[in-house]
Amino acid sequence: AIAITEQPVSVSVPVGYSFTLRCRAQGRTSLQYQWFCQRQSVCQQIPGATQQDLPVTAQQTQLYTCRINDLYKNAVFSDWVKVEVHQCVARGLPPRLWRGEPVVVLNPTEQRVEVGKPLQLQCAAMGVPAPTYQWYQNGNLLEHQKKKKLWITHAKVSDSGTYLCCASNSHGEHWTNAVDVHVGEHQRLLGCTSASATGKIALLVGNNHYQHHPNLMAPVTDVFELRLLLEQLGFQVVSLLD
């Protein structure tokens, strides 16, 4: 008859960052708490971690759970949560007044992929709680691409386009850079690379984050629409955000 009323939540933080994992439960008798951590498939009890709150100074990526016991020897475990630690976040290091809003620390990179080959894009963001992810292609939401890694087993020509990802949590959202993905036959991809030196190139920059103004969504859509128009006019387009 032990009911967990507040589960701990996963976080994604820079190395050395201090925070607290919380767990709350109710029962018919007084309750006892014990925290455990797991790293590289080894689970171990954390000595002295017998309170509802577990102070943590992030050093390495680990999993955590809390066991709650009552006086009748009943026991339940909380959800496992992941503390993801970023060792090198030079440009993405959050400011001193960081409140846990998403900060992108790894942007996807441009890809040239042959038809039928796997396509992978990757990003990462810090946040407390850990951010959720949503990928977009040419401004359109990709329903099943909700992880840090976008993975397409067999790329098609229709997978070409401009991709970006939104990392969000309860404190806000942050968009990655937009990157171009080219999917085609091998020879055509080589030709595209060599022609880019003499072709017409357009640079589009959409700003939607302002210091003294609410974030805007329209620039994202505008960049994608202008990109399609310029490509129809024969331009090679590089699209960037913020």
Side-chain angles (χ1 to χ4, degrees):
I2 302 173
I4 296 180
T5 58
E6 181 179 351
Q7 294 278 4
V9 297
S10 297
V11 300
S12 182
V13 296
V15 64
Y17 185 79
S18 296
F19 60 97
T20 300
L21 292 177
R22 292 168 51 89
C23 184
R24 298 289 187 273
Q26 293 179 345
R28 295 177 181 174
T29 70
S30 60
L31 301 177
Q32 298 175 330
Y33 293 78
Q34 177 62 59
W35 288 88
F36 295 79
C37 67
Q38 177 177 314
R39 179 171 175 263
Q40 296 179 346
S41 300
V42 177
C43 181
Q44 58 187 10
Q45 180 175 304
I46 304 174
T50 57
Q51 302 298 319
Q52 296 173 319
D53 294 342
L54 176 67
V56 178
T57 299
Q59 296 298 331
Q60 55 195 356
T61 297
Q62 294 187 129
L63 300 175
Y64 291 83
T65 187
C66 185
R67 185 189 66 205
I68 303 101
N69 297 78
D70 65 13
L71 298 182
Y72 297 116
K73 297 185 179 180
N74 297 313
V76 297
F77 281 84
S78 73
D79 295 339
W80 281 97
V81 294
K82 184 177 183 179
V83 174
E84 183 179 34
V85 180
H86 297 273
Q87 299 291 337
C88 183
V89 290
R91 289 188 58 190
L93 189 66
R96 293 181 180 179
L97 298 179
W98 186 51
R99 299 182 182 275
E101 64 274 12
V103 176
V104 172
V105 295
L106 176 65
N107 280 286
T109 57
E110 181 179 354
Q111 302 288 323
R112 296 182 182 273
V113 182
E114 292 184 51
V115 171
K117 299 292 186 180
L119 167 63
Q120 177 179 293
L121 295 173
Q122 186 174 355
C123 70
M126 298 186 299
V128 180
T132 58
Y133 297 87
Q134 178 61 64
W135 287 89
Y136 294 79
Q137 178 194 15
N138 297 333
N140 299 314
L141 183 147
L142 298 174
E143 185 65 33
H144 302 294
Q145 300 291 353
K146 298 179 179 292
K147 298 182 179 180
K148 289 189 292 185
K149 290 184 179 181
L150 178 148
W151 176 261
I152 298 175
T153 306
H154 304 289
K156 306 182 295 294
V157 173
S158 59
D159 293 320
S160 297
T162 300
Y163 288 75
L164 79 168
C165 185
C166 179
S168 62
N169 64 12
S170 55
H171 297 291
E173 63 184 27
H174 197 171
W175 295 75
T176 68
N177 293 340
V179 296
D180 290 329
V181 171
H182 308 274
V183 181
E185 301 296 338
H186 180 65
Q187 293 299 325
R188 186 170 297 178
L189 287 173
L190 292 176
C192 178
T193 303
S194 61
S196 63
T198 57
K200 297 183 293 183
I201 300 176
L203 171 64
L204 297 179
V205 179
N207 289 326
N208 64 340
H209 289 167
Y210 292 88
Q211 185 175 2
H212 301 294
H213 192 283
N215 292 349
L216 304 177
M217 286 301 297
V220 179
T221 305
D222 294 344
V223 164
F224 286 123
E225 291 181 350
L226 284 172
R227 174 183 175 274
L228 295 177
L229 176 61
L230 288 169
E231 285 184 340
Q232 292 174 5
L233 298 175
F235 283 84
Q236 180 184 355
V237 182
V238 177
S239 303
L240 303 174
L241 292 178
D242 296 315

